[in-house]
Amino acid sequence: MRDENCIFCRIAAGEIPSKTIYEDERFRVILDLGPVTRGHALILPKEHYRNIYELPEDAAGDVMKLAKRMTVQMTQKLHCDGFNLLQNNEEVAGQSVFHFHMHLIPRYRDDGQVISGKAGSVSGEELEEIKDIITG
């Protein structure tokens, strides 16, 4: 299903021009218009899913398989030194377009980008409590 008001649905369907670097019946991979590094791309499902919570498990697995293939190809062609795979869910986590998408971000030595979280600390008791909440 598509959402006619979703810009990523329209891009994935080819209604809005993009710099497509891969396409099949289920996905389109495009270069990001606001790249954080050279070659920054997005994997877009052609079906509309708001985020990972709505994405079917088989599609999630296929996204990761495609991400693997694309990172290998992009590393060979762009000669980058590493890769970040980034996927945000909901506004608080940085999602700004509410159509599931995965960022493929080539990394280059000295590219100036910092894509990481700030490490915190936690007690053993708190870890046990959280484990019990999640698994209980």
Side-chain angles (χ1 to χ4, degrees):
M1 181 182 300
R2 288 188 44 210
D3 178 344
E4 295 302 323
N5 297 314
C6 173
I7 191 166
F8 279 2
C9 281
R10 296 183 65 213
I11 292 170
E15 295 170 8
I16 295 175
S18 64
K19 299 298 182 194
T20 299
I21 59 173
Y22 175 86
E23 182 178 12
D24 64 22
E25 63 280 347
R26 295 181 65 200
F27 301 101
R28 183 182 293 258
V29 182
I30 64 169
L31 293 177
D32 195 305
L33 291 178
V36 298
T37 64
R38 182 174 179 267
H40 178 174
L42 303 174
I43 297 176
L44 306 177
K46 291 184 176 180
E47 295 289 323
H48 182 80
Y49 308 105
R50 177 182 170 89
N51 51 35
I52 200 163
Y53 304 113
E54 292 184 2
L55 187 69
E57 285 188 13
D58 66 322
D62 291 341
V63 166
M64 286 304 297
K65 290 174 188 174
L66 179 54
K68 163 55 166 132
R69 288 194 310 270
M70 293 304 302
T71 57
V72 168
Q73 179 181 348
M74 293 169 74
T75 298
Q76 291 171 349
K77 301 289 185 172
L78 296 172
H79 307 290
C80 56
D81 301 302
F83 242 94
N84 286 113
L85 302 180
L86 179 65
Q87 202 282 306
N88 303 316
N89 298 283
E90 295 301 332
E91 188 174 351
V92 69
Q95 186 179 11
S96 59
V97 178
F98 293 91
H99 177 113
F100 175 92
H101 57 285
M102 180 177 284
H103 295 262
L104 305 175
I105 305 172
R107 298 304 304 273
Y108 305 89
R109 295 200 193 294
D110 304 318
D111 64 19
Q113 291 296 329
V114 178
I115 302 172
S116 65
K118 178 182 172 187
S121 62
V122 64
S123 69
E125 294 82 23
E126 188 174 1
L127 284 175
E128 185 68 26
E129 178 185 339
I130 295 167
K131 178 191 72 82
D132 290 345
I133 290 169
I134 293 170
T135 61

